[in-house]
């Protein structure tokens, strides 16, 4: 049996790096494309082709989520776990957990009809941010500047067939510098942190949208917040996003499906090696 | 000599990097069509059309 199995559906730069760095560390790794491996749900034995420790690296949130559920039920340890992926992948659940654990986070509401969403938006004042509860790479995140925009965006959302698009996650627009901060937290340690500067033609900072990364040495306060945030979802490998506000830091997102090419280029920190070193510890135990 | 495959769309040669692995994406240099590497062995590479970006992809 291999030491570790990396499950994937599209081999990105990150997965190749993890594979290479794992090999350098002496790990026997097998790569499993979940697209080509159906799994039985009614016979819950360990799969001898799959290592006890599984690193979940699918680009698709749902594939990774459900494959984690299956392998955990077979008895494998999956990083990140099903529950961590579920909680991080859903902004509504993430926000609830951050708030419950006293971690500062932007003021946010959930509304369950277009009419009540408009009321919440009016109450929060413009601009305001509307996000899909499950979404990635900043897609369909809208900064709404006035009531006309609010109505047209909500009307469009009402027309979409995915029922989750009619659950409105509405967040105050946080006054911040033109950047946010991404911390990469591996097993409770912030191993790298970057500013993510928004591109000139966008207010979003996602690297996938052209955001520019720059290394930062974070202070102890932010480090503590990031570690605490990763702990509330029991994440072993997570990108924690923070913003600088007049009243201190807020944590606004936890990314279980971590991409780290931009952070590697900006910092030179060998993030893949750090991750695989942590995984190697698990194999030993 | 690097491995090559023919683009099904435009017929151009697609070079496969030496360190390529199954699951990786390669693009046709002429028409830009993306392919996923299905397998590489004994000097042969098998490609299939890459999936379109999914709504739930990425971080």
């Amino acid at each position: 049996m291999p030491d570790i199995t990396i499950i994937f559906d599209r081999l990105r730069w990150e997965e190749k790096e993890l594979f290479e760095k794992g090999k350098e560390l002496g790990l026997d790794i097998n790569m499993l494309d979940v697209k080509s491996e159906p799994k039985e749900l009614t016979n819950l034995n360990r799969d001898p082709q799959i290592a006890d420790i599984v690193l979940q690296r699918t680009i698709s949130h749902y594939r990774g989520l459900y494959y984690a559920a299956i392998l955990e039920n077979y008895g494998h340890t999956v990083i990140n776990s099903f529950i961590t992926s579920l909680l991080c992948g859903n902004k509504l659940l993430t926000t609830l957990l951050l708030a419950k654990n006293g971690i500062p986070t932007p003021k946010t509401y959930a509304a369950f009809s277009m009419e009540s969403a408009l009321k919440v938006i009016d109450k929060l004042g413009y601009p305001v941010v509307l996000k899909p509860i499950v979404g990635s790479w900043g897609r369909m995140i809208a900064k709404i500047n006035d009531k006309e925009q609010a109505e047209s965006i909500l009307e469009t959302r009402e027309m979409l067939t995915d029922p989750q698009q009619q659950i409105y996650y509405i967040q105050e627009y946080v006054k911040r510098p033109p950047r946010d901060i991404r911390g990469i937290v591996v097993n409770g340690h912030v191993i790298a942190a970057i500013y993510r500067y928004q591109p000139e033609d966008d207010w979003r900072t996602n690297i996938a949208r052209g955001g520019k990364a720059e290394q930062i040495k974070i202070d102890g306060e932010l480090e503590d917040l990031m570690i605490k945030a990763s702990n509330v979802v029991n994440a072993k490998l997570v990108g924690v996003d923070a913003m600088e506000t007049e009243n201190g830091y807020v944590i606004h997102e936890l990314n279980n499906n971590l991409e780290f090419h931009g952070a590697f280029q900006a910092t030179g920190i060998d993030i893949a090696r750090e991750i695989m070193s942590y995984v190697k510890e698990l194999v030993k135990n | 000599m690097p491995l090559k495959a023919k683009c099904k769309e435009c017929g151009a040669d697609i070079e496969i990097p030496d360190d390529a692995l199954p699951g990786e994406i390669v693009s046709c240099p002429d028409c830009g069509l993306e392919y996923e590497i299905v397998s590489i062995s004994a000097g042969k590479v098998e490609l299939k059309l890459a999936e379109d970006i999914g709504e739930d992809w990425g971080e």
Side-chain angles (χ1 to χ4, degrees):
Chain A
M1 203 206 300
D3 298 320
I4 171 166
T5 296
I6 297 179
I7 60 174
F8 71 98
D9 52 357
R10 170 180 273 225
L11 207 68
R12 294 168 284 186
W13 177 88
E14 281 87 348
E15 286 72 51
K16 285 190 84 171
E17 272 293 291
L18 291 165
F19 178 66
E20 287 301 325
K21 294 298 151 66
K23 274 202 309 191
E24 282 175 26
L25 290 165
L27 290 168
D28 178 10
I29 301 171
N30 78 326
M31 305 294 285
L32 175 70
D33 182 347
V34 301
K35 301 197 301 302
S36 57
E37 289 290 333
K39 285 279 166 258
E40 184 177 348
L41 303 181
T42 42
N43 183 9
L44 304 180
N45 294 320
R46 276 189 195 221
D47 183 331
Q49 304 301 317
I50 297 178
D52 286 344
I53 308 292
V54 176
L55 189 55
Q56 194 287 98
R57 291 292 313 173
T58 62
I59 195 168
S60 152
H61 169 65
Y62 287 112
R63 280 182 184 142
L65 181 72
Y66 293 122
Y67 226 83
I70 293 165
L71 294 185
E72 283 175 12
N73 275 283
Y74 284 7
H76 301 265
T77 298
V78 184
I79 298 158
N80 287 301
S81 68
F82 167 76
I83 190 72
T84 297
S85 300
L86 183 74
L87 295 173
C88 291
N90 183 309
K91 292 186 177 68
L92 189 155
L93 299 179
T94 302
T95 301
L96 283 173
L97 270 177
L98 291 172
K100 190 170 186 176
N101 287 277
I103 297 171
T105 193
K107 193 176 188 64
T108 307
Y109 288 82
F112 298 87
S113 70
M114 181 175 160
E115 294 72 26
S116 67
L118 272 172
K119 278 186 194 158
V120 167
I121 290 172
D122 273 342
K123 189 170 146 189
L124 275 172
Y126 297 94
V128 71
V129 177
L130 177 70
K131 298 180 179 180
I133 57 173
V134 177
S136 45
W137 287 338
R139 271 179 301 228
M140 294 187 70
I141 291 183
K143 178 184 167 198
I144 298 174
N145 295 311
D146 57 41
K147 190 162 188 167
E148 275 183 7
Q149 280 185 357
E151 284 172 344
S152 64
I153 288 170
L154 292 172
E155 275 175 18
T156 307
R157 285 273 294 260
E158 286 282 301
M159 304 290 286
L160 299 179
T161 50
D162 175 2
Q164 295 211 103
Q165 295 292 350
Q166 283 95 49
I167 295 172
Y168 299 104
Y169 177 98
I170 302 160
Q171 195 162 68
E172 67 171 322
Y173 178 74
V174 173
K175 287 198 190 85
R176 56 158 171 80
R179 66 187 184 206
D180 67 359
I181 299 171
R182 154 66 57 91
I184 293 174
V185 185
V186 178
N187 193 31
H189 300 281
V190 182
I191 62 157
I194 50 169
Y195 285 128
R196 300 189 307 176
Y197 282 89
Q198 66 198 42
E200 267 177 29
D201 57 352
D202 203 328
W203 65 281
R204 295 167 293 187
T205 60
N206 306 69
I207 302 287
R209 308 222 79 88
K212 293 279 172 278
E214 183 185 301
Q215 186 166 20
I216 170 185
K217 174 96 181 78
I218 58 169
D219 59 33
E221 182 193 347
L222 181 54
E223 188 174 5
D224 288 348
L225 272 181
M226 286 180 163
I227 292 167
K228 202 171 161 192
S230 85
N231 286 339
V232 301
V233 291
N234 197 23
K236 301 303 176 193
L237 170 56
V238 66
V240 180
D241 294 341
M243 292 186 278
E244 306 146 278
T245 78
E246 290 167 345
N247 303 314
Y249 298 114
V250 291
I251 303 288
H252 59 287
E253 209 167 292
L254 303 176
N255 298 277
N256 63 299
N257 192 350
L258 177 69
E259 290 165 345
F260 53 84
H261 197 186
F264 164 73
Q265 287 175 322
T267 64
I269 295 170
D270 197 343
I271 296 163
R273 195 180 178 91
E274 297 274 351
I275 293 168
M276 295 313 287
S277 297
Y278 159 64
V279 170
K280 191 176 177 181
E281 291 298 310
L282 295 179
V283 172
K284 269 200 294 192
N285 298 331
Chain B
M1 269 263 290
L3 265 180
K4 282 183 183 170
K6 279 253 181 276
C7 178
K8 286 175 191 160
E9 185 72 21
C10 74
D13 280 340
I14 304 167
E15 266 193 28
I16 310 297
D18 290 340
D19 65 345
L21 295 171
E24 205 171 322
I25 303 299
V26 289
S27 310
C28 172
D30 284 10
C31 73
L33 197 62
E34 288 195 325
Y35 292 89
E36 179 181 326
I37 298 174
V38 179
S39 64
I40 312 179
S41 63
K44 280 195 173 175
V45 60
E46 188 190 344
L47 302 179
K48 66 175 180 187
L49 282 184
E51 292 182 297
D52 286 336
I53 292 175
E55 188 60 42
D56 69 332
W57 280 21
E59 63 165 32

